Amino acid sequence: MSKRKYKFTRKRQSQAGIASTAAGVAALLCVASVTAIAYLESGAAGKIIAIPGFLALLLSLLGFVKGIKGIREEDTYRLFPWLGFILNILVLTIFGWIYTMGW
């Protein structure tokens, strides 16, 4: 007979945390692709990559806010909110670095 695993808790996954993680992953992929395209074009990719880059910035800001909301929720697991928060901080740091370096 198999052992049954019971979980006696009311905790659940944070929906805001899951949204934050999804936004962080999407923004990170978008920034990586935009940066790769700009590198392959030797910096002459033009305005065509500015729109996805700006949308990635907005997505990262949204994910950052959702991550903070997810961290503040009670009776939820903290994995996804913290993962999303860290991913979005990473993307925002990359944007700050790119802006500072003048790319």
Side-chain angles (χ1 to χ4, degrees):
M1 192 167 175
S2 67
K3 282 189 160 185
R4 296 179 190 219
K5 295 183 180 181
Y6 294 105
K7 186 167 78 170
F8 296 105
T9 182
R10 292 185 186 260
K11 284 187 175 183
R12 55 183 168 67
Q13 293 293 340
S14 170
Q15 296 299 317
I18 292 171
S20 173
T21 303
V25 168
L28 190 62
L29 288 175
C30 192
V31 167
S33 64
V34 165
T35 305
I37 291 170
Y39 179 75
L40 291 174
E41 295 292 326
S42 299
K47 295 178 185 176
I48 198 77
I49 64 168
I51 295 170
F54 185 69
L55 291 177
L57 177 65
L58 293 178
L59 192 62
S60 181
L61 288 172
L62 175 73
F64 177 76
V65 171
K66 287 281 189 182
I68 290 174
K69 285 183 181 179
I71 290 169
R72 289 184 177 182
E73 286 181 3
E74 293 183 13
D75 294 331
T76 58
Y77 293 109
R78 301 283 190 234
L79 174 68
F80 285 115
W82 277 107
L83 185 62
F85 180 76
I86 291 169
L87 281 173
N88 289 303
I89 287 291
L90 177 68
V91 171
L92 291 173
T93 303
I94 290 170
F95 271 111
W97 184 68
I98 289 173
Y99 180 75
T100 303
M101 298 303 286
W103 288 358

